[in-house]
Amino acid sequence: MNFPNAPQLRGMEAFPPPIKAVHRARIVNPQGPNDCDYHEDGGLAVRADGTVAAVGDFTLLAVAFADRYEVIDETKHGERPTIIPGMNDLHVHWVQNEVRGRFRNSLMPWLEEHIWPEEHRYADAQLADARAQTFFDELARHGTTVAAVYSSVHESALRAAFQHAAGRMVIGNVIMTSDFPPYLKQDPEEALAMTDRFAEEFGGSYAVTPRFAPSCSAEVLKAAGRIAKQRNVWVQTHLSENHDGTEHDEVELVRRLFPDAKSYTDVYARAGLLGRHTIMAHVIHASDEELDVLAQTGTCVAHCPTSNEALGSGRMPVERIRERGILYALGSDVGAGPSLSMLHVMQAYNRVHAGHADVSETEALYRGTLAGAEILGVDRVAGNLNRDKEATFAVLGSPGTRAYANPNHLLAEIFAGSQADLEAIVRKTYIAGRRVF
Ligand SMILES: [Zn+2]
């Protein structure tokens, strides 16, 4: 029978969605540069809406969530895999993926021989679409879920990238209005109009991307800065990568092209391109004064140690960047970097700075996960596996089944692998609870 005046069900919308699954594995969950939670036999409880309900020791979670969940026991293949948060690649040229690893020992000749002709091909919309699908599938296969991405000068390539990107990504078409090289040269007005249109259309997922100072005049840089400010979007470009004293010296080239500017950094400062929404790649040969300007303006840095090694660009002075509190996170810089694996980049981070600055495995992991999310302002929902964030993570095949008292020891064994090992170590990738690889 029907009861009159039966109370309606109220307040259910305030209940969190039910648990969908608990993943059982080792869990390494970075909290800061030198702060990392570790669970040797961990559980990651994921809600049906793709957020994290809890992370901790599996046995405790099993009691807390008894009979309400499916256990996905990642250990069942005779090893004990490791869950880490989805990784960040804060500097990657997606249109160079097919020619990665073909570097020569200097920036300018490499650009002319390998990069310009390759990027030129992305005018072909069909090619761009097929390559974008491949590239973003590969990012997922490497566990990369947060990225700042450079596209070519072409509208078709940018649209293809936005169509296939998965995760928290910022993407921009490069602006190239000077003769580097003539066949990629854009009409300044058209290039700026396109940039403005995209900034309006893609908002916070878009980055105004003057390729680097030599690609643009001071006027174009200034107009680009204005668009970024008006549209409240990101800025990304390159700063002080090569200073090898040869005829191809990039820093010297900038000095010649912008005789009024005090420094390479000052070229961007004058254009209004510095600030908290700006990610400068490399920053290897900057003076103290330039670093002070980056710090004062809140400008962030994408650090790409594998690329810097490959092109013989030098070592980013991490100790001077840290001293000033400049935010920085890791990037692959593919195609100068040889691999999309951010684990490979983390490995290099520890190697190149050892003896110059205090680095550790857990710090490398932080620079490749949470630090990138912090820079892009998405750390409230991404970057690590804390409760209520998106359950975005990679499952790594770990070495053996032995127990580790300290996550540094576990990560050290993982980082000891070769480039090929690190490229094959990701077994699964999830974005907001959904498996994408
Ligand atoms: Zn680059």
Side-chain angles (χ1 to χ4, degrees):
M1 70 183 273
N2 287 333
F3 288 95
N5 304 321
Q8 285 176 358
L9 185 60
R10 289 183 183 281
M12 281 308 287
E13 66 278 6
F15 277 58
I19 309 288
K20 188 171 76 177
V22 175
H23 297 260
R24 183 179 191 179
R26 304 179 207 265
I27 299 175
V28 184
N29 193 21
Q31 302 295 322
N34 296 299
D35 184 10
C36 183
D37 293 345
Y38 178 57
H39 305 281
E40 173 72 27
D41 181 11
L44 173 68
V46 178
R47 301 187 186 107
D49 71 351
T51 59
V52 174
V55 59
D57 292 326
F58 178 76
T59 43
L60 293 177
L61 255 71
V63 174
F65 297 114
D67 75 22
R68 284 200 278 149
Y69 60 83
E70 174 202 1
V71 172
I72 300 177
D73 193 345
E74 309 286 0
T75 64
K76 62 191 166 195
H77 302 300
E79 58 172 12
R80 185 173 285 184
T82 301
I83 286 176
I84 63 170
M87 288 171 270
N88 64 243
D89 189 343
L90 271 221
H91 185 75
V92 58
H93 299 258
W94 85 266
V95 288
Q96 298 174 12
N97 190 39
E98 304 283 327
V99 294
R100 65 171 183 255
R102 290 191 200 167
F103 41 81
R104 279 182 42 170
N105 206 23
S106 195
L107 175 66
M108 295 298 177
W110 169 75
L111 287 170
E112 272 161 33
E113 269 174 51
H114 297 289
I115 297 307
W116 305 145
E118 173 68 7
E119 292 199 8
H120 189 43
R121 305 180 65 191
Y122 285 75
D124 178 342
Q126 240 174 338
L127 175 137
D129 187 70
R131 295 267 184 94
Q133 177 147 21
T134 306
F135 172 79
F136 288 100
D137 284 353
E138 275 187 53
L139 271 197
R141 193 148 56 75
H142 286 98
T144 298
T145 58
V146 170
V149 183
Y150 286 52
S151 196
S152 64
V153 293
H154 311 103
E155 169 153 8
S156 49
L158 186 84
R159 293 206 177 278
F162 271 113
Q163 190 169 342
H164 293 286
R168 301 271 175 181
M169 310 245 160
V170 165
I171 311 175
N173 51 298
V174 289
I175 304 172
M176 301 173 73
T177 56
S178 68
D179 272 339
F180 285 100
Y183 61 87
L184 283 174
K185 180 177 176 172
Q186 299 171 290
D187 173 73
E189 270 180 35
E190 276 172 35
L192 291 165
M194 182 164 85
T195 298
D196 188 51
R197 251 192 352 264
F198 286 147
E200 185 180 20
E201 180 175 348
F202 296 108
S205 298
Y206 184 72
V208 171
T209 310
R211 178 167 209 125
F212 67 154
S215 297
C216 303
S217 65
E219 293 71 37
V220 169
L221 291 174
K222 196 169 266 183
R226 224 170 11 240
I227 292 169
K229 205 153 282 166
Q230 279 167 0
R231 299 291 184 193
N232 198 23
V233 297
W234 295 89
V235 171
Q236 58 181 357
T237 187
H238 298 82
L239 172 59
S240 205
E241 178 176 6
N242 172 287
H243 191 22
D244 59 8
T246 70
E247 58 184 317
H248 305 298
D249 190 311
E250 177 209 13
V251 173
E252 285 304 320
L253 175 64
V254 171
R255 216 188 298 267
R256 282 201 304 277
L257 291 172
F258 300 89
D260 296 343
K262 279 186 289 183
S263 64
Y264 199 156
T265 300
D266 192 43
V267 173
Y268 295 132
R270 285 161 174 250
L273 283 163
L274 302 182
R276 178 59 184 83
H277 286 80
T278 297
I279 304 167
M280 287 290 168
H282 305 309
V283 195
I284 297 172
H285 306 284
S287 66
D288 282 347
E289 199 184 352
E290 290 181 86
L291 294 183
D292 289 343
V293 171
L294 296 183
Q296 283 154 15
T297 53
T299 303
C300 307
V301 170
H303 173 35
C304 311
T306 52
S307 160
N308 301 157
E309 275 190 318
L311 293 180
S313 306
R315 186 184 70 89
M316 185 190 84
V318 70
E319 55 286 353
R320 289 162 59 218
I321 300 257
R322 276 183 186 165
E323 256 169 40
R324 291 165 173 80
I326 296 170
L327 298 180
Y328 68 100
L330 294 174
S332 71
D333 194 20
V334 157
S339 175
L340 285 174
S341 166
M342 289 310 301
L343 293 164
H344 183 244
V345 177
M346 292 176 207
Q347 178 195 62
Y349 177 74
N350 276 9
R351 184 178 60 249
V352 304
H353 297 302
H356 300 277
D358 280 339
V359 284
S360 69
E361 290 76 12
T362 51
E363 197 225 333
L365 182 68
Y366 163 75
R367 298 292 171 196
T369 55
L370 184 55
E374 287 169 350
I375 285 176
L376 290 181
V378 292
D379 52 307
R380 203 177 47 79
V381 292
N384 66 12
L385 294 165
N386 289 0
R387 187 186 158 97
D388 296 331
K389 290 197 187 188
E390 291 161 357
T392 296
F393 58 96
V395 183
L396 311 182
S398 299
T401 53
R402 57 175 278 216
Y404 296 88
N406 182 325
N408 276 316
H409 301 158
L410 165 64
L411 292 169
E413 278 206 39
I414 291 173
F415 294 158
S418 67
Q419 179 181 326
D421 292 338
L422 295 171
E423 288 175 345
I425 200 172
V426 175
R427 299 286 159 83
K428 301 177 181 178
T429 303
Y430 290 80
I431 294 179
R434 195 168 62 84
R435 192 166 173 192
V436 294
F437 165 65

